Amino acid sequence: MSISSGARPALPQVPEAVHRRRWAILVVLMFSLLIVVLDNSILNVAVKTIASPAPTGLGATQSELEWAINAYTLVFAGLLFTAGLLGDRIGRKKVLLFGILLFGVGSALAAMSGSPGELISWRAVMGFGAAFVMPATLAVLMNVFERDEQPKAIGIWAGSVGLAIAIGPITGGLLLEHFWWGSIFLVNVPVVIVALIAMAVLVPDSKDPDPGRTDPLGVVLSIVGLILLVYGIIRGGQLADFTDPTVLLSVIGGLVVLAAFVRHEKRTGHPAIDISYFKEPSFSAAVAAIALVFFALMGVTFFSAFYMQSVRGWSALQAGLLILPLAAAQMIFAPRARLVVDRFGARVVCTVGMLLVALGLAAFALFDATTPVWVLCVLFFVQGTGMAHVMTPVTVSVMQALPREKAGSGSAVNNTFRQVGGALGIAVLGSVLSTVYRGDIEGHLGALPAGVREAAGESIEATLGIADKLGPAGAPLIAAANDAFLKAMHVTAIGSATIALVGALVVAMFLPGKTSAGQESGQGERSVRAGAGR
């Protein structure tokens, strides 16, 4: 399996007219990807405003705010796999146009929501549209670039994902400083309109010329299994308790349904996805690395946001700006990662990348309330550098393992593991953070009334809110909350760094090493033959 650039195939697979405008097409795909990924994080900075009574906000409760965020994630993750399959079958351009249009409509309606319930519903619609956009962007990319340029294009694609995650809080903070809360959704509409026009003009359609019979049972099993699994993960994070019956039933039910999906795909004569790809250790290691690096990325952005805003007292905009080094590192190094892979091989590059991610996470265990800002900036840059040298090679590995006509399926697998890994990162690390914090702060809440005491122990934000109401008498409680959070963050950082080390071990054991020129040439020829039916 090749994941480096190698020699250009002797027979071009992309029509000349498409080849000439490939970079313009990539820009359109990046903007489409940017807004759907950005929307995963932009709402986080607006939760306080939306929780305020009308007319400032919607008066949303904590539970309603959580579901405004999670409705998007749940629908998005549940439909990613199916959306990729539909792109292969009916055409990726059609799916992309449908997804971005639905996302834009959902954004406009979410901006005009008059109640928390309406906001949750329209966020689910946005997630539905986004599920059709994200896999289609990568599938189209694979069909407008020749094999030798795919690693560079995928590097730019992967860098834009990191950029979107980092600039979400910045964009949200800037909009909230000047406009009402709905502006964080309404800003998507002009971008969607421009993207639709550009897609219609520039993006060529492509699909599997011989998709075979449909697999409705496989599609249903994948949707039900993924939704149950992701719901259980989200619910466990909300409760900070993965032993709760509703959590266990959802997670176990999801795993059982997904196991039935795998069994069905092995036995049916027309599978939605060829499970035999997972028998290849390097393919399985690549998708595992995708999940683990996004576990780390979403986890660190989660607890670092509380550290910067609650403990250090920085605004949402200031905290967002501090994550820019992470985005900058990904944008700088992701497109160039292929050059390092060509020289040292995927195994070495990805192992070092995962070790850098682990180092960055472990460093949070040494932070306190006075750590210099420049240290955070350096740390985020190191993390972004590590992620850039993991995400690009493993995504190339997954996508080039499949023939060109199955690009939608490959993209679906890649993005599903990415999304589930991110959801797990937030839920698991958030649960650890909450549990340790509660255990440490409880001893400082004895003087508070019983009802207030329970609410104050839920999170550092809740504790600080109660302390503010106490006036000068709340100063000791603020100090205790900061100390308790720092202790919880240190434990969480070590736990997340351990997960990153597991990822380093996986890629070190199973990803391929440096490929010789002769092997690369042979693999390129096999790829040409595999895609000849496109």
Side-chain angles (χ1 to χ4, degrees), residues 344-358:
F344 299 105
R347 181 186 302 155
V348 170
V349 173
C350 291
T351 301
V352 173
M354 289 299 291
L355 289 174
L356 286 175
V357 172

Side-chain angles (χ1 to χ4, degrees), residues 344-428:
F344 299 105
R347 181 186 302 155
V348 170
V349 173
C350 291
T351 301
V352 173
M354 289 299 291
L355 289 174
L356 286 175
V357 172
L359 175 66
L361 290 166
F364 273 93
L366 304 176
F367 283 12
D368 58 27
T370 60
T371 300
V373 171
W374 69 265
V375 175
L376 270 74
C377 293
V378 170
L379 175 66
F380 282 132
F381 190 83
V382 169
Q383 284 188 320
T385 302
M387 290 172 183
H389 287 91
V390 176
M391 289 306 304
T392 300
V394 297
T395 301
V396 173
S397 182
V398 171
M399 296 306 297
Q400 290 193 343
L402 279 68
R404 193 186 290 264
E405 62 268 20
K406 299 294 183 184
S409 300
S411 181
V413 170
N414 178 78
N415 289 303
T416 298
F417 274 81
R418 178 197 305 267
Q419 194 65 25
V420 171
L424 268 172
I426 293 173
V428 173

Side-chain angles (χ1 to χ4, degrees), residues 287-510:
V287 293
I290 288 168
L292 290 168
V293 78
F294 255 73
F295 183 106
L297 175 60
M298 298 307 292
V300 70
T301 53
F302 177 78
F303 67 69
S304 65
F306 284 103
Y307 168 71
M308 291 187 286
Q309 294 183 57
S310 300
V311 176
R312 303 301 295 267
W314 297 324
S315 68
L317 179 57
Q318 289 172 323
L321 289 170
L322 283 171
I323 299 184
L324 273 181
L326 186 147
Q330 293 203 50
M331 289 301 295
I332 292 168
F333 293 112
R336 295 169 175 80
R338 75 195 192 285
L339 303 175
V340 189
V341 172
D342 286 343
R343 181 169 183 179
F344 299 105
R347 181 186 302 155
V348 170
V349 173
C350 291
T351 301
V352 173
M354 289 299 291
L355 289 174
L356 286 175
V357 172
L359 175 66
L361 290 166
F364 273 93
L366 304 176
F367 283 12
D368 58 27
T370 60
T371 300
V373 171
W374 69 265
V375 175
L376 270 74
C377 293
V378 170
L379 175 66
F380 282 132
F381 190 83
V382 169
Q383 284 188 320
T385 302
M387 290 172 183
H389 287 91
V390 176
M391 289 306 304
T392 300
V394 297
T395 301
V396 173
S397 182
V398 171
M399 296 306 297
Q400 290 193 343
L402 279 68
R404 193 186 290 264
E405 62 268 20
K406 299 294 183 184
S409 300
S411 181
V413 170
N414 178 78
N415 289 303
T416 298
F417 274 81
R418 178 197 305 267
Q419 194 65 25
V420 171
L424 268 172
I426 293 173
V428 173
L429 297 180
S431 180
V432 171
L433 189 76
S434 177
T435 300
V436 177
Y437 177 80
R438 288 178 183 179
D440 199 69
I441 197 64
E442 279 179 358
H444 301 275
L445 304 176
L448 298 175
V452 176
R453 189 184 313 141
E454 184 177 350
E458 288 183 357
S459 66
I460 184 171
E461 283 295 319
T463 309
L464 294 177
I466 297 296
D468 285 341
K469 293 178 181 178
L470 296 176
L477 186 56
I478 293 174
N482 288 339
D483 290 343
F485 180 84
L486 288 171
K487 178 181 176 181
M489 185 181 76
H490 294 163
V491 173
T492 306
I494 295 299
S496 55
T498 302
I499 296 295
L501 289 174
V502 171
L505 181 63
V506 168
V507 297
M509 292 177 63
F510 298 112

Side-chain angles (χ1 to χ4, degrees), residues 88-100:
D88 283 347
R89 181 168 290 275
I90 67 174
R92 289 132 196 165
K93 180 176 182 177
K94 297 182 184 72
V95 165
L96 189 57
L97 288 169
F98 167 77
I100 200 72

Side-chain angles (χ1 to χ4, degrees), residues 112-132:
M112 304 303 173
S113 297
S115 69
E118 287 183 20
L119 178 60
I120 292 169
S121 299
W122 297 127
R123 285 279 294 169
V125 171
M126 292 171 68
F128 194 108
F132 284 80

Side-chain angles (χ1 to χ4, degrees), residues 43 50-52 54 57-69 71 110 112-124 181:
L43 185 58
I50 296 172
S52 303
L58 295 175
T61 64
Q62 180 66 29
S63 176
E64 289 169 335
L65 289 171
E66 289 173 352
W67 277 112
I69 296 170
M112 304 303 173
S113 297
S115 69
E118 287 183 20
L119 178 60
I120 292 169
S121 299
W122 297 127
R123 285 279 294 169
W181 65 267

